[in-house]
Amino acid sequence: MSRYRIPLSMGLIALLAGCSGGAIAPNYTSENPDIMRIGNQRPADPQVTVESLGSYCLEITETWSEQGDTPDGQKLWALSTQRKVVPCQ
């Protein structure tokens, strides 16, 4: 019985320590606000751009997508980027 007492005690202490700590407050900020926004209005989608990379070009399409809500009820928006190879003009 004594060989089970130490692991049981350690498990109980770990459980209490994990449950007693406060929850980590979420941080809804980004060092680059061009990729994440907070607000109830959907940001306007940027225009489609074509970028020359020498021997080929990329068509870049960016769209905002809703990623959930903050605890105070505001919407989280993330910028998604799609790239497609196109002929240069």
Side-chain angles (χ1 to χ4, degrees):
M1 184 71 172
S2 64
R3 70 180 188 174
Y4 295 115
R5 187 178 304 170
I6 292 175
L8 182 60
S9 298
M10 290 177 64
L12 184 59
I13 289 170
L15 180 66
L16 291 174
C19 293
S20 66
I24 297 172
N27 183 7
Y28 297 109
T29 60
S30 171
E31 296 198 15
N32 186 355
D34 293 335
I35 61 171
M36 184 180 85
R37 303 243 174 111
I38 299 172
N40 289 325
Q41 287 189 349
R42 183 175 197 259
D45 287 333
Q47 294 182 353
V48 176
T49 58
V50 177
E51 187 176 313
S52 176
L53 298 175
S55 61
Y56 64 96
C57 290
L58 285 180
E59 180 181 86
I60 302 168
T61 306
E62 296 177 325
T63 56
W64 289 98
S65 58
E66 186 179 339
Q67 297 294 313
D69 295 330
T70 62
D72 62 353
Q74 295 187 48
K75 296 191 183 311
L76 290 171
W77 299 95
L79 187 64
S80 301
T81 304
Q82 179 186 11
R83 291 177 169 83
K84 177 173 66 169
V85 176
V86 295
C88 295
Q89 296 178 354

